[in-house]
Amino acid sequence: MRLGALLPRAVLVAMAWILATAAFTLAADKTSIIGPQPATTAAPAPPPVLTVPSVEAQAFVFAKGILEDAGFGWRVSGPVHGYAGNKVVSQSPAPGTHVIGTGAPMIVLHLARGPYAEKGTPEDSSSYRVTAIKLAGARHVKAAPKPAPTKKVVPAKKPTAKPKPKPKPTPASAKTLPAARPPAFAVKGAPKEPLDEVTLKARADRLAAWVGTHPRHTSRNVNRWLYQHAWIVDGANFGWSHGEQALVELISIDRRVEQMWGVGGRSEKVARAALARVRRLSR
């Protein structure tokens, strides 16, 4: 009788112990599942690689615009200071060098005196903070496989024709020279417009057609556009013919370049300043 009375109580104690153990295990499993997970951080994007543009032999006023539009800073070194008409004789690093885009990598310029008088305050450094030059790693280009040698096919001999008599050379005085191009205005010390080159307006038209077929922003495309841009602006400032029409076309090109390539704002300001000067001096 006593054993029978104690049996239900023992069963109840055992069941209570089993339930408590199961609840503790379930809570531990939930804690391990929903507990804090280690944070993952995305790898930072590598900085871009820039190509140093060529500004040698350029007027300083155009050289600094080329560098700034390409994402570089600059500093003038040497006895000749940063006046607009002075010319760039050397730069460091050399053109074509690949550098890391650290913000505004600094290009050191060495200048020579230009044909114009040095007036005002020189600009010997960028107006914004420049960063140090950091060379990019060498890029290894896989060599293309050499083509298999092909057998040379010897063509059948044709009967030799009698050589035609060579035309007599035309004397230089008889050659047709391009018509003279009267300047829009005279600038003391400015070079004369070369007659063996197209007019500034024709050059601007060709540049507009070329930009329309090159929608990609590459260093080669940017350098070609900046070279033609500097030629047109420089020639218009010298008073060459059709300068005003060329500058109007050039401003339209700069807007299109800014839409396609994301650069050109500073160059457009240079072209607008040249247009205002040309219109003022042409009156």
Side-chain angles (χ1 to χ4, degrees):
M1 292 292 292
R2 187 176 182 181
L3 180 61
L6 293 175
L7 185 58
R9 183 179 299 176
V11 172
L12 292 174
V13 171
M15 290 181 65
W17 181 81
I18 292 172
L19 290 174
T21 304
F24 178 78
T25 304
L26 180 60
D29 291 341
K30 287 183 177 181
T31 302
S32 62
I33 294 173
I34 65 175
Q37 299 295 325
T40 58
T41 57
V49 177
L50 305 178
T51 303
V52 178
S54 175
V55 295
E56 294 178 355
Q58 293 281 355
F60 173 67
V61 64
F62 303 124
K64 63 180 183 178
I66 293 173
L67 293 175
E68 290 172 359
D69 279 339
F72 291 88
W74 48 269
R75 178 175 64 84
V76 176
S77 178
V80 180
H81 295 281
Y83 290 96
N86 291 340
K87 297 287 184 179
V88 179
V89 294
S90 65
Q91 65 181 93
S92 178
T97 304
H98 297 291
V99 300
I100 301 296
T102 55
M106 184 178 66
I107 306 299
V108 179
L109 303 176
H110 297 272
L111 308 180
R113 288 287 300 271
Y116 302 105
E118 296 179 338
K119 297 181 180 180
T121 304
E123 294 182 74
D124 288 339
S125 61
S126 301
S127 58
Y128 48 87
R129 182 177 174 270
V130 298
T131 55
I133 285 288
K134 185 177 180 182
L135 298 179
R139 297 182 177 181
H140 298 285
V141 181
K142 187 177 180 181
K146 294 182 179 180
T150 56
K151 294 182 179 180
K152 293 183 179 180
V153 179
V154 180
K157 290 184 178 181
K158 295 181 179 180
T160 56
K162 294 182 179 180
K164 296 181 179 180
K166 294 183 179 180
K168 295 181 179 180
T170 305
S173 58
K175 291 182 179 179
T176 303
L177 295 176
R181 301 169 189 168
F185 51 88
V187 178
K188 186 178 180 180
K192 293 183 179 180
E193 181 177 0
L195 298 181
D196 57 345
E197 294 284 352
V198 297
T199 63
L200 296 179
K201 181 61 170 62
R203 185 177 293 272
D205 292 339
R206 292 182 182 181
L207 180 60
W210 177 84
V211 168
T213 58
H214 292 77
R216 293 184 59 191
H217 177 194
T218 65
S219 298
R220 186 174 182 179
N221 289 346
V222 170
N223 287 340
R224 178 168 178 174
W225 159 66
L226 290 174
Y227 176 79
Q228 297 297 332
H229 191 284
W231 180 288
I232 296 171
V233 171
D234 213 357
N237 280 324
F238 290 150
W240 294 354
S241 61
H242 302 86
E244 181 177 350
Q245 300 92 323
L247 288 172
V248 172
E249 178 74 14
L250 186 61
I251 292 171
S252 176
I253 296 171
D254 291 341
R255 290 178 179 175
R256 189 172 186 181
V257 165
E258 192 169 4
Q259 292 176 354
M260 294 192 308
W261 299 348
V263 298
R266 294 187 182 91
S267 296
E268 182 182 349
K269 291 180 181 178
V270 171
R272 288 186 178 276
L275 179 60
R277 178 177 181 272
V278 167
R279 285 175 172 172
R280 184 178 69 253
L281 295 178
S282 299
R283 293 175 183 175

